[in-house]
Amino acid sequence: MSYQKKQLSILCVFITIELVLGILVQTTSNTLNTIVSFSSVVLAFLYSLLLIKKNKDTFLTSVGLFTTVCADFFLVVMNPRIQLPAMFFFSVTQICYFLRLYFNEDSKTRKIHLIVRIIVTLVSLGITTLVLKDKTDLLSLISLFYYANLIINIVFSFTGHEKSIIFSIGLILFACCDLLIGFNIMSSAYIELSPGTFFYFLAHPGFNLAWIFYVPSQVLIALSNTSLKEKALI
């Protein structure tokens, strides 16, 4: 069997299993749901290991997927979930994706990228401190650090010399998942929503809407590890 046929076979198996797991995330509950949900994230990481080549992109992407697995261990597997280490690992994930983007930019774009990232991150942390005041804690700061860097990664994923639309879409879906989780938390604690409205549906859809975005996000990020230059498919 040729190299490309092997890659195609592995790709088809990977996508099929992730599709099944994605459906099971929505149709199972309790311990089985925990196993299925966590397995979908672990599988994306394992698939990325099959594609590791001697370049920074694939290595950094695989490390990012691994730290995502670590984060979800604390959020999905642990009961009760432990948010602080989870957000730390998610932050490391975004730093890995930042480095992937950074190394694919020219010197001028790199300077702009660093300046924008530093300013946005500091402003986000400053606003968090001003809004929460004495309620500011490490969890709130690291959460804002994480999300600010995710948004910056999305923006700069469209500007690099080695663009990957699959990677960009994966990051967007990642952000949509987190946005829904954050909205759900806000609606249950701070916002009163009227039944029958669109925002009430977002907060109480009757199914796991966040994971509809999350599973594809990890699949696409893993798939972005494949390069045409390495005789692969994506």
Side-chain angles (χ1 to χ4, degrees), residues 10-59:
I10 294 172
L11 175 62
C12 290
V13 171
F14 169 61
I15 292 177
T16 301
I17 295 175
E18 286 286 11
L19 179 60
V20 172
L21 291 174
I23 294 172
L24 289 175
V25 167
Q26 303 300 325
T27 57
T28 58
S29 58
N30 303 323
T31 302
L32 180 57
N33 185 263
T34 298
I35 294 172
V36 168
S37 301
F38 189 62
S39 295
S40 68
V41 183
V42 173
L43 180 60
F45 164 63
L46 294 178
Y47 176 77
S48 76
L49 293 181
L50 297 175
L51 307 173
I52 283 186
K53 307 294 180 182
K54 292 183 179 179
N55 62 59
K56 297 183 182 71
D57 279 12
T58 56
F59 174 75

Side-chain angles (χ1 to χ4, degrees), residues 8 10 23 31 43 56 58 73 90 108 112 119 122 128 141-142 152 160 173 178 233-234:
L8 180 59
I10 294 172
I23 294 172
T31 302
L43 180 60
K56 297 183 182 71
T58 56
F73 175 80
F90 273 138
K108 181 180 179 181
I112 296 172
I119 291 175
L122 290 177
T128 303
L141 292 174
I142 198 169
I152 298 168
L173 294 177
D178 287 334
L233 304 167
I234 304 301

Side-chain angles (χ1 to χ4, degrees), residues 36-197:
V36 168
S37 301
F38 189 62
S39 295
S40 68
V41 183
V42 173
L43 180 60
F45 164 63
L46 294 178
Y47 176 77
S48 76
L49 293 181
L50 297 175
L51 307 173
I52 283 186
K53 307 294 180 182
K54 292 183 179 179
N55 62 59
K56 297 183 182 71
D57 279 12
T58 56
F59 174 75
L60 288 167
T61 304
S62 290
V63 174
L65 289 166
F66 173 71
T67 52
T68 299
V69 170
C70 295
D72 281 325
F73 175 80
F74 290 101
L75 291 179
V76 177
V77 178
M78 297 293 288
N79 187 19
R81 62 185 184 181
I82 308 175
Q83 290 182 291
L84 185 57
M87 296 315 301
F88 168 78
F89 280 114
F90 273 138
S91 295
V92 175
T93 296
Q94 295 310 316
I95 290 172
C96 288
Y97 297 159
F98 149 58
L99 293 174
R100 167 179 169 166
L101 296 168
Y102 182 79
F103 289 129
N104 282 315
E105 295 167 341
D106 57 38
S107 58
K108 181 180 179 181
T109 307
R110 285 183 180 184
K111 292 178 182 177
I112 296 172
H113 189 156
L114 283 177
I115 293 172
V116 170
R117 188 172 293 271
I118 291 170
I119 291 175
V120 172
T121 300
L122 290 177
V123 169
S124 299
L125 296 177
I127 291 175
T128 303
T129 304
L130 288 174
V131 171
L132 298 181
K133 297 179 181 178
D134 58 336
K135 294 183 179 180
T136 304
D137 57 12
L138 184 56
L139 178 60
S140 62
L141 292 174
I142 198 169
S143 296
L144 263 293
F145 173 88
Y146 153 73
Y147 202 74
N149 278 272
L150 171 55
I151 297 302
I152 298 168
N153 284 341
I154 291 172
V155 172
F156 280 95
S157 69
F158 289 98
T159 64
H161 287 291
E162 297 289 335
K163 298 183 184 69
S164 171
I165 188 64
I166 291 177
F167 183 60
S168 298
I169 294 173
L171 291 177
I172 291 171
L173 294 177
F174 207 148
C176 289
C177 169
D178 287 334
L179 189 62
L180 285 167
I181 292 173
F183 180 74
N184 185 269
I185 293 172
M186 290 290 291
S187 65
S188 58
Y190 305 105
I191 305 172
E192 185 175 345
L193 301 173
S194 301
T197 63

